Amino acid sequence: GQSQVRVVMAFFTSLLATPRKASGKTLLERLGGATQLDDRRDALASFKELSAEEPLRLIVEGGIGLLVRLAGDEDAQLARDALETLSNLCDVGVPAEVPEDRPNANRVAGEHNCDMLLSDAELLPAALAPLERSDFYVRFHGLALLRQLLATRADKTHEALLHAPAAAGRVLALLEDERDIVRNEALHLMRDVVPTAPPELANILAFQGGFESLLTIAEGIVREEGSETADAGAGAVFADTFDALGALLARHVANRRLFVEGGALGRVLSLLALPPSHTSGQAARIRLACRTLWQLLRPPAGAAGGEAGGEGGGEGSGEG
């Protein structure tokens, strides 16, 4: 009787009291139509949360394109959340839990969103443009987005960067960031991407200051060695630096000429000084430097095509 009525009423009351999560489409419509900053922030924050919990597939218009535009917004919070959302959407492992009847839903959605972002030549450069800002989270999430794209659609991402050398330069500039997390993530991208990238892309990175930025990191590590401010992980960073240097030199005649004639060779030679009483870490550093010098004595892989392709890429990147 009355007890059953109370149970039923309590059930419906709980349904009314529990706010239903808005759908992705509803949140995007709110986001696209909002004129007040707080409304845009709230809608984007809700959509960012949803992107981490559900596999969402977006189209460019009103979806990926809208988020890219927000990534360039002057409001730092909008820019951060937009880049983090894009990173979530392009990550084939997000969300970690997927419906049992759709075990590949996250991968399918991530690949689709990567394709959408790379379908328009202007979208990736626009998404990476905020890396010029000094905001830590903007840079961190921007690098995370690029890593997801490279992991899922490497060839298309390489192609997009080749047609937008300024975007590649923005990533390269992050090697100068004084915050270790940002600098190391940019360094890891260089280390991982260059070996499999088209020779022309490695050429662009070298001619936009890649050697200078990498050697500045290495010299800073040597300079602080043994001091109170020395980084405990400096050895690994030094190794990553020389792995990236080696990748820039491996297949490129023009890059090697730039390395020698531009002064980078002399900077590597200066790193070879080893005191009589030295640590194993210092000895490892010398071996890495010697490996780079030895690499210069060996013919580059694909040297026949590297000369023409390298020279052309260097001139184009310099003008860009």
Side-chain angles (χ1 to χ4, degrees):
Q2 292 184 351
S3 61
Q4 289 179 327
V5 171
R6 284 197 296 270
V7 170
V8 172
M9 291 186 66
F11 171 73
F12 282 107
T13 300
S14 67
L15 286 180
L16 293 172
T18 304
R20 294 186 63 189
K21 183 174 291 186
S23 69
K25 180 181 179 181
T26 300
L27 289 171
L28 286 174
E29 289 174 349
R30 277 181 52 197
L31 188 56
T35 57
Q36 299 298 315
L37 178 58
D38 287 343
D39 293 340
R40 296 166 77 198
R41 283 179 172 177
D42 289 344
L44 181 53
S46 297
F47 189 76
K48 180 184 74 172
E49 180 181 352
L50 188 66
S51 72
E53 297 174 352
E54 295 184 17
L56 304 172
R57 287 187 290 174
L58 272 59
I59 60 173
V60 173
E61 188 64 32
I64 295 291
L66 173 60
L67 292 169
V68 169
R69 289 196 298 274
L70 288 171
D73 196 279
E74 61 181 13
D75 180 67
Q77 189 61 52
L78 281 176
R80 294 170 185 168
D81 285 352
L83 285 169
E84 185 176 357
T85 302
L86 285 167
S87 180
N88 288 342
L89 291 168
C90 292
D91 189 338
V92 296
V94 173
E97 297 182 3
V98 293
E100 292 184 1
D101 59 336
R102 293 189 298 150
N104 297 318
N106 48 7
R107 173 166 292 279
V108 171
E111 291 175 348
H112 168 87
N113 293 325
C114 287
D115 289 337
M116 290 297 100
L117 181 52
L118 296 168
S119 66
D120 186 324
E122 296 182 359
L123 286 177
L124 181 59
L128 297 180
L131 293 178
E132 292 184 338
R133 302 170 68 156
S134 61
D135 186 90
F136 171 84
Y137 291 102
V138 166
R139 290 187 167 186
F140 180 83
H141 293 306
L143 287 170
L145 170 62
L146 182 56
R147 180 169 287 282
Q148 300 304 336
L149 291 168
L150 287 163
T152 304
R153 292 289 188 257
D155 291 345
K156 289 184 178 181
T157 306
H158 292 154
E159 189 69 20
L161 291 173
L162 276 174
H163 287 90
R170 290 189 183 98
V171 177
L172 187 64
L174 299 190
L175 292 174
E176 301 174 9
D177 197 300
E178 295 181 355
R179 294 161 295 197
D180 289 350
I181 293 177
V182 173
R183 181 204 65 189
N184 292 347
E185 182 59 26
L187 180 57
H188 292 161
L189 275 175
M190 284 277 290
R191 179 201 65 192
D192 298 342
V193 170
V194 175
T196 58
E200 297 83 359
L201 182 54
N203 196 234
I204 287 172
L205 292 170
F207 277 80
Q208 289 200 4
F211 293 134
E212 290 82 355
S213 297
L214 290 168
L215 286 171
T216 296
I217 294 174
E219 289 165 345
I221 290 172
V222 172
R223 191 163 49 248
E224 294 188 6
E225 207 166 35
S227 69
E228 295 181 357
T229 58
D231 183 1
V237 174
F238 194 93
D240 289 341
T241 299
F242 271 81
D243 284 344
L245 274 174
L248 288 175
L249 294 169
R251 298 174 290 162
H252 316 285
V253 174
N255 284 7
R256 292 179 176 212
R257 184 177 297 119
L258 174 66
F259 185 84
V260 173
E261 298 176 358
L265 176 59
R267 293 172 70 176
V268 172
L269 291 173
S270 70
L271 298 174
L272 295 178
L274 190 65
S277 177
H278 55 267
T279 66
S280 59
Q282 290 172 318
R285 166 168 55 81
I286 298 299
R287 286 195 295 271
L288 287 167
C290 288
R291 186 184 68 182
T292 298
L293 297 177
W294 172 246
Q295 189 173 9
L296 290 171
L297 300 176
R298 303 172 63 187
E307 182 72 32
E311 293 286 5
E315 291 172 4
S317 63
E319 292 173 2

